[in-house]
Amino acid sequence: MWKTILRRILVMIPQILILSLLVFLMAQIMPGDPFTGLITPDMDPATIEKLREAAGLNNPWYVQYWDWITNAIQGDFGKSYTYKIPVAELIGQRVGNTIWLSIVSLIFTYLIALPLGMYAGRRNGSWGDKAISFYNYVSFAIPTFVFALLLIWIFGFTLGWFPTRGTVGSGLEKGTLEYIWSRFYHLILPALSYALLATTSTIQYLRTGVIDAKQEDYVKTARAKGVPEKVVYNKHIFRNSILPIASFLGYDITGLIGGSIFIERIFSFPGMGRVFIDSLGARDYSVITALILLFGLTALFGTLLSDIIMSIVDPRIRIE
């Protein structure tokens, strides 16, 4: 399996190069340039032109791309003209928050979706199954930002159960139990806002898998041998029904990181998504190109992760 994974990584190299080229060309056709946000009515245009010349923005596009990609390989994505620090340092400050938000959201998603999917598949056609299907339809239809604002109003402002912004309470010493709990406490509401809407596909896949598995011969054989119903569902049916969900785990992780853009903005959560939105408004091209490239790389590795997970969960499947 390791040789196959290595081959897949080697295949990803040209994919990464194509992705980086597309990201660079997209940035080139966008209006303005990295110095656009620095221009003020009282600034001398000749000064801006000298800055563009010094930064190599007047060079042919292929020269600019080569300079950009070679620097990016070394971890140098330029400097943010909005935050006044190197882009790599800016991403390093925010990436941890986005990763933790994604992890907690993913945990909540499966804690909610797996029991509901199993129940709906086991008792399909019941009132409980209909209620879960109704929840699925509603969660599929509601936009993320509308649902997040609703949770903020109910649990943040009306009931006051959870904080509605930031990542940690003020005045807490880093590394203490109070600090760690405060970090997790600030994650609960934004993570739930995403997880409650992200359960739709997982519930539906698991429900369908359970209904199909109930008709399989190996299940009928287990029941004929007197295997307890609980063991039939938990060991035989669930194990085979979980395969489609496992295959999408890598994509779920990618979707969480991309979907955090809206959640972070609404909850004033200092992660990569909020930086991306702010940089778009400020036309901070160095940050925009670096984050788009990072999101693209996450998608590629998410695909590889899904294949690896499938080969582990189901030994009959081998990555081609």
Side-chain angles (χ1 to χ4, degrees):
M1 188 177 74
W2 292 109
K3 292 182 179 179
T4 307
I5 295 174
L6 180 59
R7 282 201 307 270
R8 286 295 303 273
I9 293 175
L10 293 176
V11 170
M12 287 172 59
I13 293 177
Q15 294 176 334
I16 292 173
L17 291 175
I18 294 173
L19 172 65
S20 66
L21 180 60
L22 291 175
V23 169
F24 176 81
L25 293 177
M26 284 169 47
Q28 289 290 303
I29 63 177
M30 290 176 65
D33 57 41
F35 293 100
T36 301
L38 300 178
I39 299 177
T40 59
D42 58 341
M43 183 172 290
D44 183 10
T47 302
I48 295 296
E49 188 60 32
K50 289 181 180 179
L51 291 174
R52 289 190 175 116
E53 182 67 32
L57 297 180
N58 294 331
N59 294 333
W61 69 268
Y62 50 86
V63 176
Q64 295 184 49
Y65 170 74
W66 176 255
D67 294 338
W68 176 71
I69 194 62
T70 51
N71 289 332
I73 293 174
Q74 302 174 44
D76 180 12
F77 293 95
K79 184 177 181 180
S80 168
Y81 296 98
T82 304
Y83 296 90
K84 310 301 182 184
I85 59 175
V87 175
E89 181 181 344
L90 175 63
I91 294 176
Q93 293 174 357
R94 304 299 183 93
V95 67
N97 291 332
T98 297
I99 290 175
W100 278 114
L101 177 59
S102 300
I103 291 174
V104 176
S105 298
L106 189 66
I107 292 173
F108 284 167
T109 298
Y110 285 111
L111 286 178
I112 297 169
L114 294 183
L116 292 181
M118 280 295 296
Y119 179 88
R122 183 172 182 175
R123 304 184 184 277
N124 60 301
S126 66
W127 283 105
D129 177 34
K130 294 177 181 177
I132 293 172
S133 297
F134 177 76
Y135 159 71
N136 259 9
Y137 293 138
V138 172
S139 62
F140 182 77
I142 297 180
T144 303
F145 70 92
V146 173
F147 188 69
L149 290 173
L150 181 63
L151 291 189
I152 289 175
W153 177 64
I154 295 175
F155 297 104
F157 294 130
T158 304
L159 299 176
W161 289 357
F162 298 103
T164 59
R165 59 184 301 147
T167 59
V168 68
S170 60
L172 297 178
E173 183 180 352
K174 190 173 183 179
T176 62
L177 290 177
E178 292 82 2
Y179 179 89
I180 296 173
W181 167 247
S182 180
R183 287 291 301 267
F184 176 72
Y185 190 52
H186 280 72
L187 283 171
I188 293 177
L189 195 57
L192 276 176
S193 299
Y194 188 90
L196 287 170
L197 298 184
T199 57
T200 305
S201 58
T202 304
I203 292 175
Q204 193 59 40
Y205 280 127
L206 185 56
R207 177 184 180 275
T208 304
V210 171
I211 294 174
D212 292 340
K214 288 193 299 184
Q215 312 301 322
E216 295 292 338
D217 291 337
Y218 66 87
V219 174
K220 296 178 182 178
T221 302
R223 285 174 174 156
K225 291 182 178 180
V227 178
E229 196 70 8
K230 183 178 180 181
V231 176
V232 170
Y233 273 95
N234 293 340
K235 183 178 180 180
H236 299 287
I237 295 179
F238 178 75
R239 182 175 180 180
N240 288 277
S241 302
I242 203 71
L243 292 178
I245 299 173
S247 66
F248 283 102
L249 179 58
Y251 301 106
D252 288 340
I253 295 174
T254 304
L256 283 168
I257 294 177
S260 66
I261 292 175
F262 302 103
I263 295 296
E264 290 177 3
R265 183 65 175 177
I266 295 170
F267 285 90
S268 297
F269 194 83
M272 293 191 299
R274 186 180 175 189
V275 170
F276 181 71
I277 294 296
D278 293 341
S279 299
L280 281 176
R283 294 185 179 179
D284 197 337
Y285 290 88
S286 300
V287 179
I288 294 171
T289 53
L291 288 179
I292 293 177
L293 181 62
L294 181 60
F295 292 152
L297 291 175
T298 304
L300 290 177
F301 282 102
T303 304
L304 175 62
L305 179 61
S306 293
D307 292 339
I308 295 174
I309 292 173
M310 276 298 295
S311 66
I312 294 174
V313 173
D314 189 352
R316 296 171 301 176
I317 299 175
R318 291 293 179 265
I319 305 174
E320 296 298 336

